[in-house]
Amino acid sequence: MPLRAYIDNEEIVSIDLTDEQWNDLKKRIKSKDSLLTLPCCKQEGFLRTSSKGLKHFVHSKSNYNCDWEPESPEHLRAKIAIMEACRENGWKAIPEFSETNWRADVLAIQNEKKIAFEVQWSKQTFEETKFRQDRYKESNSKGLLVFSNSTKRITKI
Ligand SMILES: [Zn+2]
């Protein structure tokens, strides 16, 4: 579930909006005064608040030409927690950042330093983990994987 979208080509991050701004935006989308598109595929989307009160965006049409994978509420919460932690520590945090051959749940940037966070809820083989780390390395980012199902937390940077 994306946290980032474009409103009439202006980038917004859902968790940065106040409840008032969020509700106002919802009205503008509904009345078609504004157009919301998603960065992953440029398709139209709309605003949704989860049962736990987390603001996010969803695709409004069939996303047949989008490779966005469904995310659990836990995944969404983890992304928000990572973003907040990055910002508290003085890093710029971009959700759902993608380059040609990789995507990060959150990309943290501080000056020249970049760390790609990826939340991994399902099991992942070592080979897949290594493959992803290599892609980050190629683009001068450090990859940090946050595993939920492991007693040994991997914090390889
Ligand atoms: Zn999409």
Side-chain angles (χ1 to χ4, degrees):
M1 292 177 274
L3 298 173
R4 195 161 61 90
Y6 291 97
I7 302 294
D8 303 326
N9 297 321
E10 189 196 333
E11 189 182 76
I12 58 161
V13 175
S14 62
I15 57 169
D16 292 341
L17 301 182
T18 62
D19 288 346
E20 201 182 348
Q21 288 170 320
W22 186 255
N23 291 331
D24 180 56
L25 186 59
K26 211 179 243 178
K27 278 183 216 146
R28 271 161 48 204
I29 303 296
K30 209 173 173 187
S31 62
K32 302 205 186 296
D33 288 334
S34 292
L35 181 70
L36 186 148
T37 51
L38 295 163
C40 45
C41 57
K42 312 278 182 276
Q43 288 186 81
E44 269 183 62
F46 61 98
L47 292 74
R48 184 188 280 162
T49 308
S50 76
S51 55
K52 300 268 191 259
L54 301 174
K55 300 178 179 84
H56 60 277
F57 304 107
V58 284
H59 292 81
S60 55
K61 291 179 188 151
S62 66
N63 41 352
Y64 64 97
N65 62 353
C66 177
D67 61 358
W68 185 267
E69 287 168 27
E71 288 176 355
S72 62
E74 290 77 19
H75 195 121
L76 185 67
R77 264 206 302 278
K79 281 198 294 192
I80 294 171
I82 291 168
M83 286 189 65
E84 287 171 347
C86 289
R87 289 170 170 183
E88 275 167 26
N89 287 286
W91 289 67
K92 186 178 179 215
I94 306 170
E96 298 112 23
F97 183 88
S98 64
E99 282 199 1
T100 41
N101 60 348
W102 60 275
R103 181 187 284 173
D105 281 320
V106 177
L107 182 72
I109 304 170
Q110 193 181 56
N111 303 320
E112 298 297 300
K113 288 178 281 183
K114 281 196 269 180
I115 299 178
F117 288 86
E118 200 160 325
V119 182
Q120 185 64 39
W121 291 96
S122 51
K123 284 203 172 89
Q124 182 173 281
T125 63
F126 174 76
E127 286 72 25
E128 173 65 17
T129 303
K130 176 143 189 345
F131 175 69
R132 292 192 187 192
Q133 290 289 345
D134 288 346
R135 281 191 305 191
Y136 291 138
K137 214 180 280 172
E138 280 167 22
S139 55
N140 288 324
S141 290
K142 290 183 176 183
L144 179 66
L145 288 156
V146 183
F147 286 86
S148 66
N149 58 353
S150 173
T151 44
K152 289 175 284 178
R153 287 198 175 250
I154 298 177
T155 48
K156 182 183 169 192
I157 296 183

